[in-house]
């Protein structure tokens, strides 16, 4: 707890957006940026608050080094990198950045869909390699999307916004919620020409899209993943793409980021992006503000709408 009248010390694992930190955080706190693990371990003993990235693992071992820590904000909507139970046990409150990145992530999902359907990376690579041999009736034929059936897995804020964009281009959208029965899952997957994943990564969604479920999809299916890599069994997906049992996949996330398996990189029928779903000026700016307000609010003992609560 900070002594009344003194400013709390808040450690950031990345400078985030420096202007936002300068305007929104520095007037209220002593700010330290610790980019390496070693620097973080040096700063943690005196930290009252912490702002982490989704690539930082916040576990018991890390928290044990932070006896003063009372509040943590994850600069992300997902919080699978954080051991919430360990935070709860130590009385550390946690915030995330929901709501402000829904549109950007939905727009990126639509980008992946269009790029998959029209084989944009293959066409782009052809031009850049100076291998465009002239217009031809059968060159790079893709799929027209209007009227196709899309299935949104995880109709939360991002999934719902994605569904809205999908409807706007004429797709027929269905959703699959957390409590869907095995029968409902099988029936909906068998019709899903576009399968878009938006569920958070939890023990029950790890490898949700496995070989068995991939086999249910129609041959012209496009799989889109903009949530977390481990929701998909990457090996099974590579096999489906290689054997052409589905048409294409658009991936913004991978099982072991930042590693992308060579087998995936060699396949022509997938579109690969480096986890940039929320990477717009608008979303990242709003995320920085929300994370900062979150950590300051929690340190001040306030109720905030973006607190992540531990549920036993
Ligand atoms: C990004 O992946 C996020 O969870 O915000
Ligand atoms: C993500 O957490 C969402 O709200 O869809």
């Amino acid at each position: 707890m900070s002594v009344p009248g003194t400013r709390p010390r808040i450690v950031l694992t990345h400078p985030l957006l420096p202007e936002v930190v300068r305007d929104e955080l520095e007037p209220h706190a002593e700010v330290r940026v610790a980019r390496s693990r070693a620097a973080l371990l040096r700063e943690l003993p005196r930290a009252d608050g912490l702002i982490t990235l989704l690539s930082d693992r916040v576990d018991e071992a890390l928290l044990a080094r932070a006896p003063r820590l009372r509040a943590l904000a994850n600069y992300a909507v997902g919080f699978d990198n954080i051991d919430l139970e360990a935070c709860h046990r130590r009385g550390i409150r946690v915030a995330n950045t929901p709501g402000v990145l829904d549109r950007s992530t939905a727009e990126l999902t639509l980008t992946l869909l269009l790029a998959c359907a029209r084989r944009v990376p293959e066409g782009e690579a052809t031009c850049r390699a100076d291998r465009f041999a002239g217009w031809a009736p059968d060159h790079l034929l893709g799929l027209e999307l209007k009227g196709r059936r899309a299935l949104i897995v995880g109709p939360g804020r991002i999934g719902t916004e994605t569904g809205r964009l999908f409807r706007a281009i004429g797709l027929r959208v269905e959703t699959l919620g957390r409590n869907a029965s095995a029968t409902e899952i099988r029936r909906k997957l068998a019709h899903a020409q576009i399968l878009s994943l938006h569920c958070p990564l939890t023990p029950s969604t790890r490898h949700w899209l496995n070989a068995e479920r991939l086999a249910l999809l129609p041959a012209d299916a496009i799989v889109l993943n903009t949530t977390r890599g481990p929701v998909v069994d990457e090996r099974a997906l590579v096999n489906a793409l290689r054997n052409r049992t589905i048409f294409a996949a658009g991936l913004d996330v991978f099982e072991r980021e930042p590693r992308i398996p060579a087998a995936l990189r060699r396949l022509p029928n997938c579109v690969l992006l480096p986890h940039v779903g929320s990477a717009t000026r608008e979303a990242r700016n709003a995320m920085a503000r929300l994370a900062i307000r979150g950590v300051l609010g929690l340190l001040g003992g306030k109720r905030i709408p973006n607190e992540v609560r531990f549920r036993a």
Side-chain angles (χ1 to χ4, degrees), residues 3 50 55 58 62 124 159 190 233 235 254 260 289 292 299 303 309:
V3 180
L50 181 61
S55 45
V58 178
L62 184 128
E124 236 259 344
D233 179 344
R235 277 233 282 224
F254 304 92
I260 303 175
R289 287 169 201 276
I292 289 169
L299 277 176
R303 287 175 68 88
R309 291 178 195 278

Side-chain angles (χ1 to χ4, degrees), residues 67-270:
R68 296 168 54 97
L69 195 66
R70 288 295 161 262
L72 185 162
N74 205 38
Y75 183 72
V77 66
F79 44 83
D80 49 279
N81 57 312
I82 295 176
D83 183 340
L84 279 186
E85 183 180 0
C87 290
H88 178 75
R89 230 184 297 117
R90 292 170 174 275
I92 298 164
R93 292 170 71 193
V94 178
N96 68 341
T97 63
V100 295
L101 44 66
D102 304 345
R103 179 67 187 205
S104 288
T105 308
E107 288 180 5
L108 191 88
T109 311
L110 181 61
T111 304
L112 283 173
L113 172 59
L114 297 171
C116 284
R118 301 307 294 272
R119 304 172 59 181
V120 168
E122 289 172 88
E124 236 259 344
T126 301
C127 294
R128 285 183 190 270
D130 205 13
R131 286 198 318 260
F132 177 32
W135 193 92
D138 58 352
H139 187 211
L140 283 178
L141 301 191
L143 303 176
E144 188 169 284
L145 293 170
K146 189 173 178 189
R148 285 179 187 265
R149 290 167 179 271
L151 181 61
I152 303 277
V153 179
R157 287 166 294 235
I158 296 171
T160 301
E161 187 66 21
T162 302
R164 243 176 245 133
L165 296 184
F166 281 3
R167 282 190 195 92
I169 63 161
L171 302 185
R172 291 184 282 169
V173 178
E174 284 201 301
T175 61
L176 202 53
R178 200 181 351 206
N179 299 320
S181 69
T183 317
E184 183 186 356
I185 294 174
R186 271 199 304 279
R187 182 173 51 78
K188 288 187 170 170
L189 283 178
H191 290 122
Q193 294 170 297
I194 293 136
L195 180 71
S196 198
L197 301 167
H198 301 281
C199 51
L201 174 62
T202 66
S204 60
T205 62
R206 184 171 292 273
H207 282 194
W208 185 89
L209 188 60
N210 56 18
E212 192 191 328
R213 287 182 175 151
L214 278 163
L216 295 170
L217 295 172
D220 60 357
I222 296 174
V223 169
L224 305 170
N225 190 6
T226 53
T227 176
R228 286 291 182 270
V231 171
V232 175
D233 179 344
E234 219 163 57
R235 277 233 282 224
L237 181 66
V238 166
N239 285 333
L241 289 167
R242 192 185 276 143
N243 301 330
R244 309 252 169 194
T245 66
I246 61 172
F247 182 76
L251 307 175
D252 185 43
V253 289
F254 304 92
E255 266 203 81
R256 277 173 286 277
E257 291 179 16
R259 206 176 76 77
I260 303 175
L264 205 47
R265 285 186 276 119
R266 279 197 292 264
L267 288 168
N269 51 345
C270 59

